[in-house]
Amino acid sequence: MTLAAARIDTGDTAWLLAATALVLLMTPGLALFYGGMVRTKSVLNMLMMSFVSIALVTVVWLAAGYSLAFGPDAGGGLIGTLEHAGMAGLGPDSVRGTVPTLLFATFQLTFAVITAALISGAIADRAKFGAWLVFVPVWALLVYVPVAHWVWGPDGWILSDLGALDFAGGLPVEITSGASGLALCLVLGPRLGFRKDAMRPHNLPMVVLGAGLLWFGWFGFNAGSALGANGLAAAAFLNTLAAGCTGLLGWLFVEQKRDGHPTTLGAASGAVAGLVAITPACGAVSLLGALAVGLAAGVVCSYAVSWKFRFGYDDSLDVVGVHLVGGVTGTLLIGVFAVESMTGGARGLLHGGGLAQLGKQSVAVLAVGGYAFLMTYGIARLLHRTLGLRADEEHEHTGLDLTVHAETAYDHGVLGHGAPVGASPVPSAQKVKPQA
C-alpha cells in the first residue's frame, strides 16, 4: 500500500460513495419534477433534456472540466490548468483529503450534471433538442467550470481572495443555473400563448414524486459536501431537512393568504425553494439559522415566481423564481446567520460579525450572477443565429414529444376510440416529420 492510499478513510469514502449516488439521482428526480409541470405534449422532451445532460456533462467533465475546475490554478484564481485532462495522473491511489480523488471528481461531476439540467426548465416547451445537445457541453465548459473553480478550487478567487462562503453550491449551482435560465428565456422569447393560455402542470403526483426524489438526493448534495462522515455532515444534513420544511410551510402560508388555497404545486415548490436556499448555508448556520433561511426562501420565492408575468420573460418552470432568487437569498443570509462554530471563523451580522461577511457574499452573488448571465446570453445568441434555438411554431403547437422524439407519454386513443385490444393506430399528428 502506498503512503497516499494509506490516507484514505474508509468511513469517509463509504459516505461519499453514497452521497454521489444520491446527487446523481437528483437529475432523474428533476426530470420527473419538470415533466409533471409541463403539458402532456412535451413531457418526454422535458425528461430527455435532463437525462441527456447526464451523458453530455459527464463526457465534458472527464475530458477537461474537472481539471479546469479543480486542477492547479492557472493564475489569478480564475481557472485551472489541463494538467489532469482526461483524468490523467489520477489513479486509484490518488487521494484528495481522506477520499480517493476519482471519487471526489465523480461527486463534483454530479453537481455539474444537475446544474445544466436545471436550466432546461426555463425554456420548456419551445427549445430545439438538437441545439440543446450543443448548448450543454459548451455552457458547462465556459460557464459552470470557471465558476466552480472560483468558488471551490484550491486557489479560486472567491474562496481564497474574497473570503465568501458557499458550502454546497449556492453560487455554482443555484445562482449560475438561474441566471443562465433567465438569459436563455430572453433569447428564445415566450411560449405561444404565454399570458393568454392556461399552462397548468399536467401531472401533480409526478411533480410531488420528483420533489421527493430531489429532497432525498439533496442530503447527499449538502451533507456530502463535508467530504467525510463527521459532525459537519450531520449538521448539514439536519439543516437541509429543517430548511426544506420551513420553505414548504412559508410558501403555503403565502398561498393561503394571497389566494385562499394552499396547493400541491406550492408545497413541492416551497420545499425546493428552502432546499435551494440552504445549499450554500448548510455548513455555516445553526439549526435556528437554517429554519430562518428556509422560511425566508419559501416566502420570497413564492412571490418571485409571479415576476415573469409582470416583466414579460417566460421562465416556464420557475428556474429564475426558485433557483436564482432562492440561491441569492441563501447566499446572502450567510452574512446574517453564520456562526463561528460552523464556519471556524466567519460570523454573520446577528452573531457579532458586522457587515463584513454580508459584503463578501454580496460581491460573490453579483460576480457569479453577472458572469453566468452575460456568458450564457452570448452563447445563446450565437447558437440562435447559427443552429436556431427556438423550435418551429408548428412543432411547438403540436408538441415536441411527437415532432422531435416521435413518441407520446400517454396513449389515450386506443380504448377511447373503441379500437380492439392490441391494435396500434397511428394518430394523424404523428405524420409530422420528426425534427430536433
Side-chain angles (χ1 to χ4, degrees):
M1 179 183 295
T2 65
L3 181 61
R7 300 205 319 265
I8 294 177
D9 183 283
T10 54
D12 293 347
T13 300
W15 164 234
L16 198 60
L17 284 166
T20 301
L22 286 170
V23 182
L24 181 61
L25 180 64
M26 292 177 73
T27 298
L30 179 72
L32 292 174
F33 183 70
Y34 279 172
M37 290 176 70
V38 296
R39 292 167 288 180
T40 55
K41 63 184 181 179
S42 295
V43 181
L44 300 179
N45 179 257
M46 204 71 254
L47 298 178
M48 281 289 287
M49 290 179 83
S50 286
F51 265 82
V52 78
S53 297
I54 299 175
L56 293 170
V57 176
T58 296
V59 172
V60 169
W61 188 257
L62 297 179
Y66 173 75
S67 184
L68 292 171
F70 291 96
D73 186 65
L78 299 175
I79 197 68
T81 68
L82 289 172
E83 179 178 328
H84 299 303
M87 309 307 286
L90 301 178
D93 289 339
S94 178
V95 180
R96 188 180 182 103
T98 60
V99 299
T101 304
L102 292 177
L103 175 56
F104 173 79
T106 308
F107 179 65
Q108 293 297 337
L109 161 63
T110 59
F111 281 63
V113 166
I114 195 170
T115 307
L118 281 169
I119 300 171
S120 64
I123 54 173
D125 287 335
R126 63 195 189 280
K128 282 188 176 180
F129 187 69
W132 178 252
L133 298 181
V134 177
F135 171 82
V136 168
V138 173
W139 180 89
L141 274 178
L142 297 184
V143 180
Y144 180 83
V145 165
V147 174
H149 184 79
W150 299 354
V151 178
W152 291 326
D155 299 304
W157 73 270
I158 286 180
L159 175 67
S160 299
D161 300 331
L162 179 61
L165 301 177
D166 185 346
F167 190 74
L171 293 163
V173 178
E174 309 300 351
I175 292 175
T176 299
S177 63
S180 297
L182 177 60
L184 269 186
C185 67
L186 290 177
V187 172
L188 264 70
R191 290 165 290 178
L192 298 176
F194 175 63
R195 291 200 283 193
K196 297 179 182 178
D197 301 338
M199 298 180 181
R200 299 184 183 91
H202 89 282
N203 192 327
L204 285 171
M206 184 186 292
V207 173
V208 175
L209 174 60
L213 289 172
L214 283 169
W215 201 337
F216 179 63
W218 228 297
F219 291 118
F221 201 90
N222 287 357
S225 293
L227 303 179
N230 51 41
L232 183 58
F237 194 107
L238 181 57
N239 284 347
T240 299
L241 175 61
C245 292
T246 51
L248 185 157
L249 294 173
W251 194 299
L252 291 185
F253 174 79
V254 171
E255 282 192 327
Q256 179 65 46
K257 182 178 179 181
R258 181 185 59 198
D259 309 321
H261 303 286
T263 67
T264 307
L265 179 61
S269 299
V272 171
L275 294 166
V276 166
I278 199 59
T279 293
C282 61
V285 301
S286 66
L287 177 58
L288 288 178
L291 292 168
V293 168
L295 182 62
V299 171
V300 173
C301 292
S302 65
Y303 287 108
V305 295
S306 64
W307 294 348
K308 62 185 177 183
F309 300 109
R310 179 184 302 176
F311 298 110
Y313 61 90
D314 186 9
D315 172 24
S316 305
L317 306 183
D318 301 322
V319 179
V320 178
V322 173
H323 293 276
L324 177 57
V325 174
V328 169
T329 300
T331 303
L332 292 179
L333 287 180
I334 292 173
V336 178
F337 295 112
V339 293
E340 188 175 3
S341 60
M342 291 288 287
T343 65
R347 292 179 295 169
L349 178 63
L350 295 184
H351 296 278
L355 294 173
Q357 193 62 45
L358 182 59
K360 295 174 182 179
Q361 301 300 123
S362 301
V363 171
V365 164
L366 291 173
V368 169
Y371 176 81
F373 177 85
L374 292 174
M375 285 296 295
T376 304
Y377 191 86
I379 295 168
R381 291 297 300 175
L382 179 61
L383 291 178
H384 197 48
R385 291 182 179 180
T386 54
L387 300 177
L389 277 176
R390 182 73 183 250
D392 295 341
E393 184 173 329
E394 180 186 355
H395 294 175
E396 184 179 341
H397 179 76
T398 302
L400 300 179
D401 287 359
L402 275 176
T403 59
V404 176
H405 308 292
E407 299 172 300
T408 57
Y410 309 101
D411 187 355
H412 299 296
V414 176
L415 297 178
H417 289 83
V421 175
S424 301
V426 179
S428 59
Q430 288 189 1
K431 295 178 183 180
V432 178
K433 183 180 180 181
Q435 176 177 331

